[in-house]
Amino acid sequence: MGDIDDQRGFLRELVGDGRPALALTAVALFLSGAFAIFLAIRREFLPQDVTFLGMTAKELCAIADCRIVRFMFHDRVAFGGTLIAVATLYLWLALFPLHRGLAWAWWTFLVSGALGFGSFLAYLGYGYLDSWHGIATVALLPVFLTGLVASRPHATGSVTGWLRSVDGLRAPALARMGRWGLLATGSGLVLAGLVILYLGSTEVFVAEDFGFMGLTRDVLDRVNPRLVPLIAHDRAGFGGGLATIGILLLLCGWYAPPSRAFHQAVLFAGGSGFCFAIGTHFVEGYVNPVHLAPAFAGAALFAGSILCEMIGWRRMQSA
């Protein structure tokens, strides 16, 4: 027995089938999202933000009735919500479908991770390299890649998309309608996230943003020439996170059969994402109906879809 233990490597046992590393990535993302929201509640910038701007949040708050700061924090809270949503679905993927060795779960990690980590490169478009973000990415990416490499040999199981499976085809119309609604929600999140990511790397603002702040871009540049690049960084980060959660919802929604754990994970992920994204607008006073309409539409579609699927699934269970 001792000889067998002597041949076991510490790191290999620690990594295991790769799922511990992927779960650790999820926990790190969850804590990062919670920390972003915590700082916004405390009305604080990160140290590198202060160094880059040469201004604290309190000093910037003295300009334009604090609307610039409120605008910045509304983006950061929304970004924190997307990280929590991504982390939740990553944990579910690692604990359930990847534990069963399903290949689609591994590919979902790969595709969503490529988008999420790759969106960090958007800093090339806005000219602000967030050192903490960079360090976190450099530290977390090897953990994520280790999990992917270690889990690949175990992820060999193939399944048909649930809607096209025997169970899916026999499912009540209400459950199928709910699942199609989740897929539509995921598609909308991907599209919205990519648009926001593009804006963050190029134009940065939409007309409603200037209306809320009561300032033009030229005025923002005169307040501080480094202000727009910092705001662009926040906006692009949110766009990347939003697109990532959309990809996750699309792939999980296509392949995963209805289950208690799946519904709980999707409810928590979607609830946290939409609640933080919409709620922060009311906290900060940015309540333009045109600006909020897509978010409310997405939230309504998501809520109605998951509710329909859960009710339909319960009918399947009781039949």
Side-chain angles (χ1 to χ4, degrees), residues 8-41:
R8 295 167 61 189
F10 172 71
L11 290 179
R12 186 67 188 89
E13 289 300 312
L14 191 63
V15 172
D17 62 0
R19 292 187 305 117
L22 295 173
L24 179 60
T25 301
V27 171
L29 290 174
F30 189 97
L31 293 176
S32 298
F35 184 60
I37 294 168
F38 171 75
L39 285 180
I41 292 173

Side-chain angles (χ1 to χ4, degrees), residues 7-95:
Q7 299 304 315
R8 295 167 61 189
F10 172 71
L11 290 179
R12 186 67 188 89
E13 289 300 312
L14 191 63
V15 172
D17 62 0
R19 292 187 305 117
L22 295 173
L24 179 60
T25 301
V27 171
L29 290 174
F30 189 97
L31 293 176
S32 298
F35 184 60
I37 294 168
F38 171 75
L39 285 180
I41 292 173
R42 288 184 54 84
R43 322 306 278 178
E44 294 181 9
F45 289 155
L46 289 166
Q48 71 270 22
D49 297 337
V50 175
T51 300
F52 179 73
L53 277 182
M55 304 174 70
T56 65
K58 184 177 181 180
E59 291 169 339
L60 186 58
C61 198
I63 300 171
D65 194 28
C66 204
R67 289 191 299 273
I68 301 174
V69 171
R70 298 208 303 271
F71 177 80
M72 294 174 70
F73 282 138
H74 110 279
D75 266 349
R76 294 186 174 197
V77 169
F79 174 59
T82 65
L83 290 183
I84 291 173
V86 169
T88 301
L89 288 182
Y90 270 7
L91 282 173
W92 175 80
L93 280 167
L95 292 174

